[in-house]
Amino acid sequence: MQDDINLEELTKNSKPSFLKIFFIVLSTIIGVFAIAFGVVSLLKLLANTAEKVENKKPEIAKVAEKRAPHRIDMQYLVDDWRREQGITEESSVLIYDLNNSDIVGRFNDTKTFTDPNLVSLLVAYENYRRLSDDSFHLDDQINLKNQTALSRKDCLNELFTSENPNCKDALRAELSDAVIKNLLTKMDLENLKVSADTLTLTAGEYLKIIKFLYNSENLQSENWDQFFAHLLVTGDHFALISGINKATIFDYASTKLKTETAANSLPYFSEASILEFKDLPKYQDRKYIVISLNQNFNPTKLTPLGRNIEERIINER
């Protein structure tokens, strides 16, 4: 019969074409690869995120362990130093903790001394203050006795580096005693005795001067940097700071010590040191001021005190 269905023909016609099968297989493969790529990308993203978090952990821990510096009592260091070096009543010492605004070690700090060079530090500061308000200029010409005039900039350098008194005398002559007294009044030291180029004061009063200069808001940052650049120790270390190796040091001494004369006994020796201990493993930066005033004194006796101060700070737990 014509209406009879030919099973073989039906089967033949119902088979999918090769092209259709190819596209089905290709689509399946592409889908599998797409899923695999997505999974791999997700795993990489998760791994990178985990690695970043892991890398941040030490930083967080490092920040967390940098504690504010607490007060360290150094009185026993001063007492031991006095005994070991045979320090007499002709000396005076103060150790001041700038972080905690407290004296942490002292000896004979109410005794008065006459300092022949501290006025020069005040003169230098007043120069930089006036540079800040443009009443002085670095290219101002300073007339000198028996010498060619120098610029103010060069004369200020000479004030800190040379033993020639010409710049010291010329810069001092520009400023009256009233200017120096007014500056001291700002430091709550209006009763200090000022005579020509000398100041009579105690270690505690000297400390007030150094604190004022260090914390001064009367200088523009550029002038503060220039002023303290004169005090930054970059070369040979003598006296107290000879025992300091791991701090940034700003130092002002009454005498410019040299290798060949550093061990000599001097009729008078004073030293003011600002010590900045940075990158401490457990604490934020620690800052100290050490004042030493002495008569008939060998400056090398201060070296062990400086060494013990640094060791105590570095080893604090």
Side-chain angles (χ1 to χ4, degrees):
M1 296 176 56
Q2 292 182 352
D3 294 335
D4 289 344
I5 297 175
N6 187 320
L7 182 59
E8 182 178 347
E9 187 69 25
L10 179 63
T11 303
K12 181 179 178 181
N13 293 336
S14 67
K15 289 180 178 179
S17 67
F18 172 77
L19 191 58
K20 187 182 291 185
I21 293 173
F22 174 77
F23 277 117
I24 292 173
V25 172
L26 182 61
S27 298
T28 303
I29 292 173
I30 291 174
V32 169
F33 272 104
I35 293 172
F37 179 78
V39 170
V40 171
S41 298
L42 179 61
L43 290 175
K44 284 185 177 180
L45 179 62
L46 292 174
N48 289 337
T49 302
E51 184 178 355
K52 288 179 180 178
V53 171
E54 189 65 27
N55 287 339
K56 284 185 178 181
K57 285 182 179 178
E59 294 179 11
I60 294 172
K62 186 176 181 179
V63 171
E65 69 182 14
K66 285 277 186 176
R67 303 193 293 270
H70 59 272
R71 182 185 188 276
I72 300 176
D73 185 5
M74 297 191 187
Q75 185 59 48
Y76 75 97
L77 295 179
V78 175
D79 295 340
D80 290 348
W81 168 72
R82 284 180 53 211
R83 184 179 64 255
E84 293 166 3
Q85 297 298 320
I87 302 302
T88 70
E89 295 293 322
E90 289 191 301
S91 293
S92 176
V93 166
L94 269 182
I95 306 174
Y96 183 80
D97 181 342
L98 275 163
N99 299 96
N100 294 287
S101 302
D102 193 15
I103 293 173
V104 295
R106 69 201 316 163
F107 168 66
N108 202 26
D109 52 295
T110 59
K111 178 180 173 62
T112 57
F113 296 81
T114 299
D115 193 295
N117 281 321
L118 187 50
V119 169
S120 294
L121 186 62
L122 300 180
V123 167
Y125 172 83
E126 183 64 17
N127 268 259
Y128 281 104
R129 190 194 68 76
R130 295 189 181 202
L131 286 168
S132 292
D133 65 19
D134 287 330
S135 56
F136 278 178
H137 303 91
L138 287 175
D139 58 359
D140 292 341
Q141 293 298 297
I142 308 299
N143 294 318
L144 304 174
K145 183 178 180 181
N146 301 323
Q147 184 182 341
T148 304
L150 292 177
S151 68
R152 187 174 302 280
K153 178 181 179 181
D154 290 341
C155 233
L156 284 168
N157 288 331
E158 287 270 319
L159 187 65
F160 288 95
T161 60
S162 175
E163 295 181 358
N164 187 324
N166 283 353
C167 276
K168 173 183 174 181
D169 294 343
L171 292 174
R172 175 66 178 93
E174 288 184 320
L175 305 175
S176 66
D177 286 352
V179 170
I180 300 300
K181 290 292 288 184
N182 182 59
L183 183 55
L184 291 170
T185 299
K186 293 178 181 178
M187 305 174 189
D188 194 26
L189 293 171
E190 60 273 13
N191 294 323
L192 276 192
K193 181 181 178 183
V194 182
S195 176
D197 291 336
T198 65
L199 280 177
T200 301
L201 75 174
T202 66
E205 290 164 336
Y206 202 138
L207 174 63
K208 282 188 176 184
I209 293 174
I210 300 303
K211 282 171 57 181
F212 178 88
L213 301 183
Y214 186 66
N215 297 321
S216 179
E217 298 178 357
N218 296 320
L219 299 184
Q220 296 176 0
S221 59
E222 178 185 0
N223 298 120
W224 189 98
D225 291 342
Q226 291 172 346
F227 175 55
F228 271 89
H230 294 297
L231 306 180
L232 180 65
V233 176
T234 57
D236 293 332
H237 292 39
F238 300 107
L240 179 107
I241 59 175
S242 182
I244 306 292
N245 297 298
K246 297 180 180 180
T248 299
I249 306 169
F250 300 98
D251 192 77
Y252 186 75
S254 58
T255 302
K256 295 176 178 63
L257 298 176
K258 299 178 181 179
T259 302
E260 60 272 21
T261 60
N264 293 347
S265 183
L266 302 173
Y268 176 78
F269 179 77
S270 68
E271 184 176 28
S273 307
I274 301 170
L275 311 175
E276 297 180 346
F277 291 90
K278 302 176 180 179
D279 299 323
L280 297 170
K282 294 184 179 181
Y283 294 95
Q284 298 167 12
D285 297 352
R286 288 186 179 275
K287 300 178 180 181
Y288 294 86
I289 296 174
V290 183
I291 304 294
S292 173
L293 309 178
N294 310 273
Q295 292 173 335
N296 304 314
F297 187 75
N298 185 331
T300 59
K301 288 188 174 184
L302 286 165
T303 302
L305 179 60
R307 186 182 302 116
N308 291 338
I309 289 173
E310 178 173 83
E311 183 179 343
R312 179 68 182 86
I313 293 167
I314 296 299
N315 293 332
E316 176 63 14
R317 298 181 179 179

Short mmCIF file of all heavy atoms in Angstrom, two decimals, residues 114-123 165 168-173 175 177 180 193-200 252:
data_model
loop_
_atom_site.label_atom_id
_atom_site.label_comp_id
_atom_site.label_asym_id
_atom_site.label_seq_id
_atom_site.Cartn_x
_atom_site.Cartn_y
_atom_site.Cartn_z
N THR A 114 78.00 81.10 84.66
CA THR A 114 78.06 82.20 83.69
C THR A 114 78.54 81.64 82.36
O THR A 114 79.68 81.16 82.25
CB THR A 114 79.01 83.31 84.17
OG1 THR A 114 78.52 83.84 85.40
CG2 THR A 114 79.08 84.43 83.14
N ASP A 115 77.65 81.68 81.36
CA ASP A 115 77.94 81.08 80.06
C ASP A 115 78.36 82.16 79.06
O ASP A 115 77.64 83.13 78.85
CB ASP A 115 76.70 80.34 79.55
CG ASP A 115 77.02 79.44 78.38
OD1 ASP A 115 77.40 79.96 77.32
OD2 ASP A 115 76.89 78.21 78.53
N PRO A 116 79.52 82.00 78.42
CA PRO A 116 80.03 83.04 77.52
C PRO A 116 79.53 82.95 76.08
O PRO A 116 79.83 83.84 75.28
CB PRO A 116 81.54 82.80 77.57
CG PRO A 116 81.66 81.31 77.77
CD PRO A 116 80.51 80.92 78.65
N ASN A 117 78.82 81.91 75.73
CA ASN A 117 78.45 81.72 74.33
C ASN A 117 76.96 81.55 74.07
O ASN A 117 76.54 81.51 72.91
CB ASN A 117 79.17 80.49 73.74
CG ASN A 117 80.61 80.81 73.36
OD1 ASN A 117 80.91 81.88 72.85
ND2 ASN A 117 81.50 79.88 73.66
N LEU A 118 76.17 81.46 75.10
CA LEU A 118 74.74 81.21 74.90
C LEU A 118 74.04 82.40 74.24
O LEU A 118 73.08 82.21 73.48
CB LEU A 118 74.08 80.88 76.24
CG LEU A 118 72.62 80.42 76.20
CD1 LEU A 118 72.42 79.30 75.18
CD2 LEU A 118 72.17 79.96 77.58
N VAL A 119 74.53 83.61 74.49
CA VAL A 119 73.94 84.78 73.84
C VAL A 119 74.03 84.66 72.32
O VAL A 119 73.13 85.07 71.59
CB VAL A 119 74.61 86.09 74.33
CG1 VAL A 119 74.19 87.27 73.46
CG2 VAL A 119 74.24 86.37 75.78
N SER A 120 75.09 84.07 71.83
CA SER A 120 75.26 83.89 70.38
C SER A 120 74.15 83.02 69.79
O SER A 120 73.70 83.25 68.66
CB SER A 120 76.63 83.27 70.07
OG SER A 120 77.66 84.16 70.41
N LEU A 121 73.71 82.03 70.55
CA LEU A 121 72.61 81.18 70.09
C LEU A 121 71.33 82.00 69.99
O LEU A 121 70.55 81.84 69.04
CB LEU A 121 72.43 80.00 71.05
CG LEU A 121 71.40 78.94 70.63
CD1 LEU A 121 71.81 78.27 69.32
CD2 LEU A 121 71.24 77.90 71.73
N LEU A 122 71.11 82.88 70.96
CA LEU A 122 69.93 83.74 70.94
C LEU A 122 70.01 84.74 69.78
O LEU A 122 68.99 85.04 69.14
CB LEU A 122 69.79 84.49 72.27
CG LEU A 122 69.63 83.62 73.52
CD1 LEU A 122 69.50 84.50 74.76
CD2 LEU A 122 68.44 82.69 73.40
N VAL A 123 71.21 85.24 69.52
CA VAL A 123 71.40 86.17 68.39
C VAL A 123 71.07 85.46 67.07
O VAL A 123 70.39 86.03 66.20
CB VAL A 123 72.84 86.71 68.38
CG1 VAL A 123 73.15 87.42 67.06
CG2 VAL A 123 73.08 87.65 69.55
N PRO A 165 85.89 85.86 66.00
CA PRO A 165 84.76 86.53 66.66
C PRO A 165 84.11 87.65 65.83
O PRO A 165 83.13 88.25 66.28
CB PRO A 165 85.39 87.11 67.92
CG PRO A 165 86.80 87.42 67.51
CD PRO A 165 87.19 86.33 66.53
N LYS A 168 80.40 87.12 65.05
CA LYS A 168 79.71 87.09 66.34
C LYS A 168 79.52 88.51 66.88
O LYS A 168 78.41 88.89 67.29
CB LYS A 168 80.52 86.25 67.34
CG LYS A 168 80.00 86.27 68.76
CD LYS A 168 80.92 85.46 69.67
CE LYS A 168 80.50 85.58 71.12
NZ LYS A 168 81.40 84.81 72.03
N ASP A 169 80.57 89.29 66.85
CA ASP A 169 80.51 90.66 67.37
C ASP A 169 79.59 91.54 66.52
O ASP A 169 78.81 92.35 67.05
CB ASP A 169 81.91 91.27 67.42
CG ASP A 169 82.82 90.58 68.43
OD1 ASP A 169 82.29 89.87 69.31
OD2 ASP A 169 84.06 90.73 68.32
N ALA A 170 79.67 91.38 65.20
CA ALA A 170 78.88 92.24 64.30
C ALA A 170 77.39 91.93 64.41
O ALA A 170 76.56 92.85 64.45
CB ALA A 170 79.35 92.06 62.86
N LEU A 171 77.05 90.66 64.44
CA LEU A 171 75.64 90.29 64.55
C LEU A 171 75.08 90.68 65.92
O LEU A 171 73.91 91.09 66.03
CB LEU A 171 75.47 88.79 64.32
CG LEU A 171 75.76 88.30 62.89
CD1 LEU A 171 75.72 86.78 62.82
CD2 LEU A 171 74.78 88.90 61.90
N ARG A 172 75.90 90.56 66.95
CA ARG A 172 75.46 90.95 68.30
C ARG A 172 75.25 92.46 68.37
O ARG A 172 74.30 92.93 69.02
CB ARG A 172 76.50 90.50 69.33
CG ARG A 172 76.21 90.97 70.77
CD ARG A 172 74.97 90.30 71.31
NE ARG A 172 74.70 90.70 72.69
CZ ARG A 172 73.90 91.71 73.04
NH1 ARG A 172 73.29 92.43 72.10
NH2 ARG A 172 73.69 91.98 74.32
N ALA A 173 76.11 93.23 67.70
CA ALA A 173 76.02 94.69 67.75
C ALA A 173 74.73 95.19 67.10
O ALA A 173 74.25 96.29 67.43
CB ALA A 173 77.22 95.30 67.06
N LEU A 175 71.84 93.96 67.59
CA LEU A 175 70.72 93.72 68.51
C LEU A 175 71.05 94.31 69.88
O LEU A 175 72.06 93.96 70.48
CB LEU A 175 70.44 92.22 68.63
CG LEU A 175 70.19 91.47 67.32
CD1 LEU A 175 70.06 89.97 67.58
CD2 LEU A 175 68.93 92.00 66.63
N ASP A 177 70.62 95.10 74.00
CA ASP A 177 70.33 94.26 75.16
C ASP A 177 68.83 94.13 75.37
O ASP A 177 68.34 93.10 75.83
CB ASP A 177 70.97 94.87 76.42
CG ASP A 177 72.48 94.67 76.45
OD1 ASP A 177 73.00 93.93 75.59
OD2 ASP A 177 73.13 95.27 77.34
N ILE A 180 67.47 91.22 73.42
CA ILE A 180 67.78 89.94 74.07
C ILE A 180 66.89 89.75 75.31
O ILE A 180 66.35 88.65 75.54
CB ILE A 180 69.26 89.88 74.48
CG1 ILE A 180 70.16 90.03 73.24
CG2 ILE A 180 69.56 88.56 75.19
CD1 ILE A 180 69.97 88.98 72.19
N LYS A 193 70.30 87.40 84.36
CA LYS A 193 71.31 88.45 84.29
C LYS A 193 72.02 88.38 82.94
O LYS A 193 72.63 87.36 82.60
CB LYS A 193 72.31 88.28 85.43
CG LYS A 193 73.40 89.35 85.44
CD LYS A 193 74.38 89.11 86.58
CE LYS A 193 75.50 90.15 86.56
NZ LYS A 193 76.49 89.88 87.62
N VAL A 194 71.91 89.46 82.15
CA VAL A 194 72.59 89.55 80.86
C VAL A 194 73.67 90.62 80.97
O VAL A 194 73.41 91.76 81.33
CB VAL A 194 71.60 89.93 79.73
CG1 VAL A 194 72.32 89.99 78.38
CG2 VAL A 194 70.45 88.96 79.68
N SER A 195 74.90 90.22 80.66
CA SER A 195 76.01 91.18 80.71
C SER A 195 76.83 91.00 79.44
O SER A 195 77.52 89.99 79.27
CB SER A 195 76.88 90.93 81.95
OG SER A 195 78.00 91.78 81.95
N ALA A 196 76.74 92.01 78.55
CA ALA A 196 77.46 91.95 77.26
C ALA A 196 77.10 90.65 76.53
O ALA A 196 75.98 90.46 76.11
CB ALA A 196 78.95 92.08 77.48
N ASP A 197 78.07 89.73 76.44
CA ASP A 197 77.84 88.48 75.71
C ASP A 197 77.66 87.29 76.64
O ASP A 197 77.76 86.13 76.20
CB ASP A 197 79.02 88.21 74.77
CG ASP A 197 79.07 89.21 73.64
OD1 ASP A 197 78.02 89.79 73.31
OD2 ASP A 197 80.16 89.42 73.08
N THR A 198 77.41 87.52 77.90
CA THR A 198 77.30 86.40 78.84
C THR A 198 75.91 86.35 79.48
O THR A 198 75.24 87.38 79.63
CB THR A 198 78.36 86.49 79.95
OG1 THR A 198 78.12 87.66 80.73
CG2 THR A 198 79.76 86.53 79.35
N LEU A 199 75.52 85.15 79.86
CA LEU A 199 74.30 84.92 80.62
C LEU A 199 74.64 84.14 81.87
O LEU A 199 75.43 83.18 81.81
CB LEU A 199 73.30 84.09 79.80
CG LEU A 199 72.45 84.80 78.74
CD1 LEU A 199 71.59 83.78 78.01
CD2 LEU A 199 71.57 85.85 79.38
N THR A 200 74.08 84.52 83.00
CA THR A 200 74.24 83.77 84.23
C THR A 200 72.94 83.03 84.50
O THR A 200 71.89 83.66 84.65
CB THR A 200 74.58 84.70 85.42
OG1 THR A 200 75.79 85.40 85.12
CG2 THR A 200 74.76 83.89 86.70
N TYR A 252 74.62 72.03 70.94
CA TYR A 252 75.26 73.34 71.05
C TYR A 252 76.15 73.33 72.28
O TYR A 252 75.69 73.09 73.40
CB TYR A 252 74.23 74.46 71.17
CG TYR A 252 74.84 75.84 71.14
CD1 TYR A 252 75.31 76.38 69.95
CD2 TYR A 252 74.96 76.60 72.31
CE1 TYR A 252 75.88 77.64 69.91
CE2 TYR A 252 75.54 77.87 72.27
CZ TYR A 252 75.99 78.39 71.07
OH TYR A 252 76.56 79.65 71.04
#
